[in-house]
Amino acid sequence: MELLEYSLYGPTDGFPVMSLGGSPSTRWKRPEAVEDMAASGLRILIPDRPGYGGSPRRLGRSVADGADDVARLADALGWTTFAVIGGSGGGPHALACAALLPDRVTCCAVVGGIAPLTAEGPEPTDDDEVADPRRSLTAWLAVHDPARFRARFAAGAEQIMAAVAAGGPEFPPAPGSPPGPPARDDAAAMARLTATFGSGSADGCLDDNVAFATPWGFELADVRVPTIIWHGTADERAGRHAVLLTEAIPAAESIQYDGGHVPPSAAYRENSRMVARRNERGWCGSVGSAPCSSSVGRHGRSRLD
């Protein structure tokens, strides 16, 4: 029996959505993101993938395993059908749901996601990554040199937390926007940062990257539900992956928003409105039900038999 931690956001009567976070990320979200989810009209479940937050690590998990986890979470909540959204490293897992749960997934949105990566060949250089976005040093290290991967993760996390300690915001501002308030003065913000970039997330991030660079357990051509591939105008890497994804997925369309890797509030709300409209119009299936009580946020755990 396995355990997955999750949080629920948004109105209890909203259309159900599984929102799968990046690498690294956890289910704990900033107040601004919670407000955006509440405004979306959607009932959004955000799980901690194994190795993140309160969900124990699961060695050897594949991208396809994420679809099974989502299906069992949906069963636990009584959700018959649902949409999926995957941000960054959550994108492959959202696509797994779309490919492997076609009778349950109504539509899929990938934001700043990636196509299948490769760990074949020698260690990729920066030029290699530019020439072929499927070649990723991060994923290559996860497969071939986990110790170096962990050292890079720790160095990156240390750099982020040092910037926070110097008075930086919890989250980088969108291009052209002023920074937010110092995160160091907000205990809840510091708890979220520690959960995301603390040493406990290294396992989840390592396992994600191994999964990205090994067989996903399905083909992109298997994705037949309506799929939106979103990326920011300033996110060149995601733009290159968007081309690969839209070429490989029959039902995919590519949309850009103004911003970087993580969408600003306006883009996030537009993405949510598009998901909601597609379900309201019947393009993507019927509405399930969620036996939940809180209209803002609810946290729980599910044991997966």
Side-chain angles (χ1 to χ4, degrees), residues 122-259:
E123 178 178 324
T125 64
D126 290 343
D127 289 341
D128 291 333
E129 293 193 53
V130 171
D132 183 354
R134 296 169 299 178
R135 299 200 67 192
S136 162
L137 176 59
T138 301
W140 191 94
L141 290 174
V143 173
H144 296 287
D145 196 343
R148 273 182 66 198
F149 176 94
R150 290 181 182 279
R152 281 169 56 93
F153 181 92
E158 183 178 354
Q159 184 177 14
I160 289 169
M161 297 307 288
V164 169
E170 177 181 3
F171 204 75
S177 299
R184 66 189 181 190
D185 300 332
D186 184 339
M190 293 302 295
R192 289 188 293 269
L193 285 163
T194 301
T196 301
F197 298 108
S199 59
S201 286
D203 286 341
C205 197
L206 172 66
D207 295 343
D208 273 353
N209 277 275
V210 171
F212 298 154
T214 51
W216 282 15
F218 64 95
E219 300 296 328
L220 292 177
D222 297 334
V223 177
R224 297 286 176 175
V225 304
T227 301
I228 309 166
I229 309 297
W230 282 62
H231 71 279
T233 53
D235 190 352
E236 295 182 2
R237 180 172 182 267
R240 293 195 293 270
H241 279 276
V243 171
L244 297 174
L245 291 171
T246 52
E247 288 177 346
I249 299 172
E253 60 177 310
S254 180
I255 298 177
Q256 284 187 305
Y257 58 83
D258 289 331

Side-chain angles (χ1 to χ4, degrees), residues 2-4 18 20 45 47-50 55-56 58 61-76 82 93 97 101 104 302 304-305:
E2 296 175 337
L3 182 72
L4 283 182
M18 293 283 182
L20 310 177
L45 184 150
D48 282 339
R49 276 195 300 282
S55 298
R58 187 191 307 155
R61 61 179 169 87
S62 69
V63 171
D65 289 336
D68 187 53
D69 289 344
V70 163
R72 289 187 285 178
L73 281 171
D75 290 344
F82 47 88
H93 300 89
C97 296
L101 305 172
R104 304 191 69 175
S302 179
L304 306 181
D305 296 325

Side-chain angles (χ1 to χ4, degrees), residues 4 8 46 58 82 96 118 191 197 207 227 267-268 277 286 289 303:
L4 283 182
L8 281 160
I46 302 178
R58 187 191 307 155
F82 47 88
T118 178
F197 298 108
D207 295 343
T227 301
Y268 181 91
R277 285 197 302 267
S286 60
S289 61
R303 294 191 179 277

